[in-house]
Amino acid sequence: MFLRFGIRKCLSPVIRKITPRTRAKSASFTRLGTGSVVKVAKTSIPNALMFGVLGGGFYAGSVLAKENTLETLLAEADELYDAMKYEDIYDLLSAHKEVKHDEILWRLGRATYEKAKAAKTDDEKKVLYREALDYVEEALAINSENFAVHKWMSILIDYVYGYEGTKARISQSYNVKNHMEKACQLNPTDGTSRYLLGYWYYSIASIPWYQRKIASVVFATPPSGTYEDALEQFLHAEKLEPNFYSKNLLMIGKCYQILGKNEEAKQYLTRAMNYPGKTLDDKEAMDEATQLLKGL
């Protein structure tokens, strides 16, 4: 549901947000471009694949190559993602999807999502978003305790059902929120998950009357959220990762403005306006903040 209010444009840079990357070493690797290093226990890797144990080689069929260990494969995929080489990631990870590892599958879903965004027709997009969700659902079945899997479940469910119409999207609103909250629970230090949850609340608070009517038909208890709820999550995200994303600053400012706290709104909107622009979203945040400040 919240895609209607612009979160589609918000997702890409916050997922790819530019932060110092720590190259994967030993059994460590980065997730979702957050810059944080996550340890993967060697024992969690299927023994038959012998990741990191065999010598040199490459992946073929359903057997992962000796030389191409899990951690180096994921590090390569993450580096390609930072370089925005999504087709290369798709090709790289598609060759390893039969390994059935959640870390491979959610990254493959992420790459497919990027392919969908670049597709030229709605029909192509719809097919690719569904493919992306299939990969992440498979990852979830393998490991329901992976925060990145839940994050991508929340993103892709909304995209897929967004193509089914307003009622279908609304029907998934609780599901989307549940996955966001699970991602926050599994990784309490991830600002991106908090930002997405904040945007969910903001979108619910902003929902037009006719969609509220649909929600009241779909649910006995329709989803609810306030601008105070949204602000709490955005501020939490900012506390976790200060200045991590221009649009988080923008949304804090917008919430304060809606709540009549103009001095606080000016503070955050000014920060958004002066944010060092690196992406299209940074520019959009700067432009919107500039316009909002003129009215304060």
Side-chain angles (χ1 to χ4, degrees):
M1 171 190 331
F2 48 77
L3 296 183
R4 180 180 182 83
F5 299 97
I7 200 169
R8 286 190 177 187
K9 292 190 293 183
C10 295
L11 289 174
S12 189
V14 75
I15 290 166
R16 190 194 302 113
K17 61 188 182 222
I18 301 171
T19 54
R21 173 168 296 281
T22 304
R23 285 188 59 87
K25 297 179 181 179
S26 181
S28 301
F29 56 91
T30 54
R31 285 183 181 166
L32 205 56
T34 61
S36 57
V37 177
V38 181
K39 293 288 184 179
V40 176
K42 294 286 187 180
T43 54
S44 69
I45 300 169
N47 290 333
L49 301 174
M50 294 193 288
F51 287 121
V53 176
L54 302 175
F58 61 94
Y59 175 81
S62 61
V63 180
L64 187 64
K66 301 175 181 180
E67 189 173 312
N68 201 7
T69 64
L70 177 65
E71 53 267 24
T72 56
L73 174 68
L74 300 181
E76 181 179 357
D78 288 345
E79 288 174 4
L80 288 170
Y81 191 79
D82 284 348
M84 293 182 278
K85 296 181 178 179
Y86 307 125
E87 289 285 352
D88 290 347
I89 304 169
Y90 184 84
D91 292 341
L92 173 71
L93 297 181
S94 290
H96 298 83
K97 64 184 179 183
E98 296 307 318
V99 170
K100 305 296 183 186
H101 197 286
D102 56 297
E103 293 295 343
I104 293 173
L105 288 167
W106 78 253
R107 283 173 170 81
L108 181 55
R110 178 178 66 175
T112 310
Y113 157 87
E114 296 291 355
K115 279 169 56 74
K117 289 200 301 180
K120 294 181 179 179
T121 69
D122 281 346
D123 286 343
E124 289 178 285
K125 290 177 184 291
K126 184 176 179 179
V127 169
L128 286 167
Y129 283 132
R130 178 69 255 186
E131 180 185 347
L133 181 57
D134 287 344
Y135 291 134
V136 181
E137 285 178 334
E138 193 173 358
L140 181 66
I142 294 168
N143 183 4
S144 62
E145 298 300 304
N146 185 328
F147 96 94
V149 171
H150 286 283
K151 181 185 295 188
W152 280 97
M153 283 292 297
S154 71
I155 293 167
L156 289 166
I157 287 170
D158 203 47
Y159 268 78
V160 168
Y161 285 88
Y163 280 93
E164 303 299 325
T166 300
K167 186 175 180 180
R169 182 185 295 158
I170 289 174
S171 73
Q172 293 297 314
S173 57
Y174 279 123
N175 196 14
V176 168
K177 183 187 180 188
N178 289 341
H179 282 294
M180 288 179 177
E181 290 179 330
K182 185 66 173 179
C184 292
Q185 176 190 335
L186 291 170
N187 188 353
T189 64
D190 181 45
T192 306
S193 297
R194 289 288 170 186
Y195 170 82
L196 292 173
L197 185 56
Y199 211 100
W200 187 93
Y201 280 116
Y202 184 90
S203 300
I204 295 297
S206 305
I207 191 171
W209 67 267
Y210 66 89
Q211 288 196 3
R212 291 187 187 279
K213 205 167 182 181
I214 294 173
S216 67
V217 172
V218 175
F219 298 107
T221 305
S224 62
T226 66
Y227 293 115
E228 288 87 352
D229 294 329
L231 179 60
E232 180 182 356
Q233 297 301 325
F234 293 137
L235 288 172
H236 193 163
E238 193 63 23
K239 182 178 180 180
L240 290 172
E241 298 184 63
N243 218 43
F244 77 104
Y245 183 41
S246 59
K247 286 209 169 177
N248 194 60
L249 298 173
L250 174 69
M251 295 310 299
I252 293 173
K254 289 175 72 171
C255 286
Y256 274 131
Q257 183 182 26
I258 290 169
L259 295 172
K261 298 182 177 182
N262 288 347
E263 289 306 312
E264 291 90 339
K266 286 179 183 178
Q267 176 188 344
Y268 281 95
L269 291 174
T270 299
R271 288 175 61 185
M273 181 180 66
N274 295 328
Y275 195 87
K278 297 177 181 177
T279 68
L280 177 60
D281 261 38
D282 292 336
K283 185 180 184 306
E284 290 177 353
M286 292 162 61
D287 290 346
E288 185 173 357
T290 300
Q291 291 301 314
L292 290 171
L293 282 166
K294 290 178 180 178
L296 291 175

